[in-house]
């Protein structure tokens, strides 16, 4: 079983829809949580970064972390065709042998159609 | 500010041939990472450098893969000999420091082994 499991999708939504992307994890040492966006033929770019349970909002994006359930989510409001990409959750432990190591989910392909 | 530069962007080789990838990180970033991304998967760390020192190479298949970062700036990842299963995207990333600092990714090198 992988340390980080991500809903594989793919997701296809109409423009303006609310999108929910989710990941679960098994390693309780994960303390830092990120969402990356990766366009086709490009490297991942950081979208959101959180380190505590709760919600963090940035424009149309909201990252949610529930450490007690080992579950994180990314919500996209008013989705746009330009949001079409692969979304990757990623996590870093604060200690142990994997100190500082970024572990990714498998990614969810999102398509927003006009 | 220039981003992480990687070359070549694409490489096609026959199995058993050697191949090398080059990465130039963002200026001032002392930590450099090489990741492997298979189709439909998230990136997986191969090796992490802090300056010239490889501090985590536990996931690097050392029988055929090697890496170097001689002057603590740019880096080269080599595969010799390449196998069919090595076909993937090889991503380079850099950050200032480690732990929870943002990693900036290059566009990757897409390797096809025939």
């Amino acid at each position: 079983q992988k340390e980080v499991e991500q809903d594989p999708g793919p997701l296809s939504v109409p423009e303006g829809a609310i999108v929910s992307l989710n990941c679960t994890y098994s390693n309780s040492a994960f303390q830092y949580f990120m969402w990356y966006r990766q366009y086709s033929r490009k490297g991942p770019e950081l979208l959101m970064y959180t380190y505590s349970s709760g919600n963090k909002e940035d424009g149309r994006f909201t990252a949610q972390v529930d450490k007690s359930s080992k579950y994180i989510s990314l919500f996209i409001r008013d989705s746009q065709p330009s949001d079409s990409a692969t979304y990757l959750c990623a996590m870093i432990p604060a200690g142990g042998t994997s100190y500082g190591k970024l572990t990714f989910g498998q990614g969810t392909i999102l398509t927003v159609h006009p | 500010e220039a981003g992480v530069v990687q070359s070549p962007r694409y490489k096609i080789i026959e199995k058993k041939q050697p191949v090398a990838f080059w990465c130039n990180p963002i200026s001032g970033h002392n930590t450099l990472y090489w990741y492997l991304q298979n189709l439909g998967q998230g990136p997986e760390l191969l090796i992490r450098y802090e300056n010239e020192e490889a501090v985590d190479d536990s996931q690097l298949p050392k029988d055929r893969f090697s890496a170097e970062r001689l002057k603590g700036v740019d880096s080269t990842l080599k595969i010799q000999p390449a196998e069919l299963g090595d076909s993937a995207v090889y991503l380079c990333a850099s950050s200032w420091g480690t732990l929870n600092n943002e990693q900036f990714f290059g566009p990757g090198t897409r390797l096809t082994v025939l």
Side-chain angles (χ1 to χ4, degrees):
Chain A
Q1 184 183 9
K2 293 185 176 182
E3 285 187 297
V4 180
E5 298 279 357
Q6 183 171 357
D7 292 346
L11 286 178
S12 181
V13 302
E15 184 175 354
I18 296 174
V19 176
S20 172
L21 304 165
N22 308 294
C23 288
T24 58
Y25 61 96
S26 57
N27 187 349
S28 57
F30 287 135
Q31 295 294 320
Y32 303 93
F33 305 92
M34 297 144 201
W35 285 95
Y36 280 81
R37 178 175 61 196
Q38 186 173 24
Y39 290 114
S40 181
R41 311 281 178 173
K42 303 287 187 182
E45 58 176 340
L46 184 65
L47 260 184
M48 298 285 285
Y49 166 51
T50 60
Y51 55 86
S52 59
S53 284
N55 294 350
K56 179 178 180 180
E57 191 172 316
D58 184 1
R60 297 184 295 109
F61 299 90
T62 299
Q64 188 175 80
V65 174
D66 182 347
K67 289 186 178 180
S68 62
S69 300
K70 296 189 177 65
Y71 188 88
I72 69 170
S73 298
L74 178 71
F75 298 96
I76 307 175
R77 291 182 300 280
D78 189 24
S79 56
Q80 302 296 309
S82 58
D83 295 328
S84 298
T86 296
Y87 289 80
L88 298 152
C89 63
M91 310 177 187
I92 295 181
T97 57
S98 297
Y99 179 81
K101 178 181 174 181
L102 192 61
T103 300
F104 284 88
Q106 68 185 90
T108 301
I109 299 174
L110 171 67
T111 302
V112 181
H113 49 87
Chain B
E1 179 184 271
V4 176
V5 178
Q6 290 188 248
S7 69
R9 291 294 314 277
Y10 304 91
K11 189 74 176 179
I12 301 174
I13 61 171
E14 295 191 347
K15 63 181 181 182
K16 301 184 181 179
Q17 294 299 305
V19 65
F21 314 123
W22 177 80
C23 172
N24 192 40
I26 292 172
S27 178
H29 283 188
N30 61 321
T31 306
L32 183 146
Y33 313 77
W34 282 103
Y35 287 88
L36 166 70
Q37 186 174 24
N38 286 304
L39 186 66
Q41 300 295 317
E44 298 175 29
L45 182 69
L46 288 172
I47 189 168
R48 181 180 91 210
Y49 282 93
E50 289 182 10
N51 300 305
E52 301 88 1
E53 183 182 359
V55 296
D56 183 357
D57 63 355
S58 57
Q59 302 301 310
L60 190 71
K62 298 180 183 63
D63 57 336
R64 297 184 301 107
F65 287 66
S66 64
E68 60 183 15
R69 193 184 185 200
L70 294 176
K71 296 183 179 179
V73 182
D74 57 347
S75 175
T76 302
L77 177 69
K78 298 178 181 178
I79 308 175
Q80 183 170 11
E83 296 179 353
L84 295 177
D86 296 331
S87 296
V89 175
Y90 292 83
L91 293 162
C92 179
S94 70
S95 68
W96 187 87
T98 184
L99 182 57
N100 57 344
N101 290 335
E102 180 178 355
Q103 295 182 25
F104 294 82
F105 284 81
T109 296
R110 183 175 297 270
L111 173 67
T112 302
V113 182
L114 302 176

